Amino acid sequence: MDALTDARDLVAERFPDATWAMLTGSVLGPDRTAGSDLDIVVLRGEEEPGYRESLYFRGWPVELFVHTPARLAVSLERELAQRKPSTHRMIARGVPLLGEPGDLQVRCAGVLAAGPPPLSGAEGDRLRYGLTDLLDDHKHAVDVGERAVIAAAVWTESARVALAFAGRWLSSGKWLLRELRALDSDFADRWLAARDEPAAFAAEVLAKAGGPLFEGYRA
């Protein structure tokens, strides 16, 4: 199937008056799989509502990210605060389908390359406290099911803490692993190997972040 042609036809049908629209995501690159969908970012005027919608079009699963200028500005600002640049990444790596986004792609690419803002002391303390608490729960868990659930949380949070203290972007799902591999492929391999028994790996991450934090923590 021709992703670009089908995406252009969908945009022409659904958003003929859009300011611009672009196709983005794994369907455009080497990470494309049989399940890759059409991720389409659309910018419309302020008089139209913004929303996210999932649908099928010519056999494609489609994810629409429809923005107004104000909604897009808020989304980009919120992502910076959360250190999770999903929309920046989509725009920076997208292919225009309709109209032109001007210098927005260049600006989003620049944000991605520069990395997130410096981690504040309060943010670092919150991350250290959270992982300390999870490790304590894991250590003392007696219910097998609860221990398994806590272990999964410890494993995921250890990756987030490592990325945050390394000054890297955070993410979830497949992008969490991609960010870890971009940081250090050997470290990412050790993280994967620690999936079932993550406590020792998480303790190592916590030590590098400044150590456990419980007594005296206030938020």
Side-chain angles (χ1 to χ4, degrees):
M1 295 186 289
D2 185 340
L4 279 170
T5 296
D6 290 338
R8 286 194 182 98
D9 289 348
L10 172 58
V11 167
E13 178 181 308
R14 292 283 301 269
F15 308 103
D17 298 323
T19 303
W20 55 257
M22 62 175 61
L23 176 65
T24 186
S26 61
V27 74
L28 294 174
D31 296 321
R32 177 172 173 171
T33 70
S36 291
D37 53 17
L38 302 182
D39 291 325
I40 300 176
V41 183
V42 180
L43 184 73
R44 303 198 295 179
E46 292 290 2
E47 67 279 2
E48 301 291 343
Y51 58 89
R52 178 172 176 173
E53 182 181 356
S54 302
L55 57 108
Y56 285 98
F57 182 78
R58 295 180 183 171
W60 289 100
V62 179
E63 294 280 2
L64 294 174
F65 303 86
V66 183
H67 292 278
T68 65
R71 174 188 170 94
L72 180 58
V74 169
S75 294
L76 294 175
E77 183 177 352
R78 183 175 60 244
E79 287 184 357
L80 282 178
Q82 296 174 341
R83 314 173 72 82
K84 189 176 179 181
S86 302
T87 306
H88 288 84
R89 188 179 291 120
M90 285 193 290
I91 292 174
R93 301 176 181 178
V95 173
L97 302 169
L98 173 70
E100 289 294 336
D103 67 346
L104 183 60
Q105 285 191 285
V106 174
R107 288 192 283 119
C108 285
V111 169
L112 288 175
L119 195 67
S120 71
E123 289 173 321
D125 286 351
R126 184 170 63 248
L127 288 167
R128 289 170 58 206
Y129 172 81
L131 189 52
T132 299
D133 191 51
L134 282 171
L135 280 168
D136 188 62
D137 282 348
H138 183 264
K139 178 180 179 180
H140 297 289
V142 293
D143 181 278
V144 174
E146 289 184 1
R147 184 177 175 84
V149 170
I150 297 167
V154 168
W155 185 62
T156 301
E157 190 61 15
S158 66
R160 286 172 43 80
V161 170
L163 288 169
F165 276 88
R168 306 299 288 252
W169 295 109
L170 305 184
S171 197
S172 59
K174 61 189 178 185
W175 275 104
L176 181 60
L177 178 58
R178 290 174 182 177
E179 292 288 354
L180 283 175
R181 283 174 168 164
L183 172 64
D184 185 328
S185 60
D186 291 335
F187 181 83
D189 288 343
R190 292 203 299 117
W191 177 71
L192 287 171
R195 183 186 62 181
D196 296 327
E197 293 293 339
F201 182 88
E204 175 189 329
V205 168
L206 187 56
K208 291 180 179 179
L213 178 60
F214 180 77
E215 185 175 6
Y217 175 68
R218 177 180 290 187

